[in-house]
Amino acid sequence: PFFIENIYTNAEFQYKTDHNYGIMKIYDFSMNLVDSFECNQFNNYDNLECSWDGRNKNNIKVSNGVYFCKLSLNGNIYWQKLGVLNSN
């Protein structure tokens, strides 16, 4: 799992793909939707990059806990588990 240690650290994900965008959805441990956004940035290695800043769709810092990221990309779905540990 990827851990966000404070709100100023983004969780970043990179995927090798020929497609120009994906949809990232963040869920809490109860599988409630926390945030959803389009990923359409590529790095120097032609990997699709998705970044989450640890905030919900209302721009409020999320609580400590386990979260799940779902990337939908060209009909395929990829999951990643992450933990949030805020220092405050």
Side-chain angles (χ1 to χ4, degrees):
F2 185 92
F3 283 90
I4 300 177
E5 294 183 10
N6 61 55
I7 198 61
Y8 302 108
T9 302
N10 288 350
E12 296 181 2
F13 305 91
Q14 298 181 14
Y15 296 91
K16 186 71 171 172
T17 181
D18 294 331
H19 303 284
N20 58 1
Y21 79 97
I23 302 295
M24 178 70 77
K25 293 185 178 184
I26 310 294
Y27 297 91
D28 64 16
F29 194 75
S30 298
M31 297 307 291
N32 297 310
L33 183 64
V34 173
D35 199 2
S36 178
F37 49 90
E38 196 172 285
C39 302
N40 56 10
Q41 299 293 318
F42 285 83
N43 64 17
N44 294 338
Y45 304 104
D46 292 330
N47 291 335
L48 179 67
E49 290 189 335
C50 299
S51 179
W52 179 53
D53 64 0
R55 295 180 178 272
N56 66 20
K57 56 189 168 192
N58 297 318
N59 203 32
I60 297 171
K61 182 172 66 169
V62 299
S63 300
N64 291 346
V66 176
Y67 292 83
F68 301 96
C69 301
K70 180 175 93 171
L71 175 64
S72 300
L73 183 64
N74 190 36
N76 296 313
I77 295 176
Y78 305 93
W79 286 92
Q80 178 68 44
K81 179 172 63 171
L82 59 93
V84 174
L85 298 171
N86 293 309
S87 59
N88 296 344

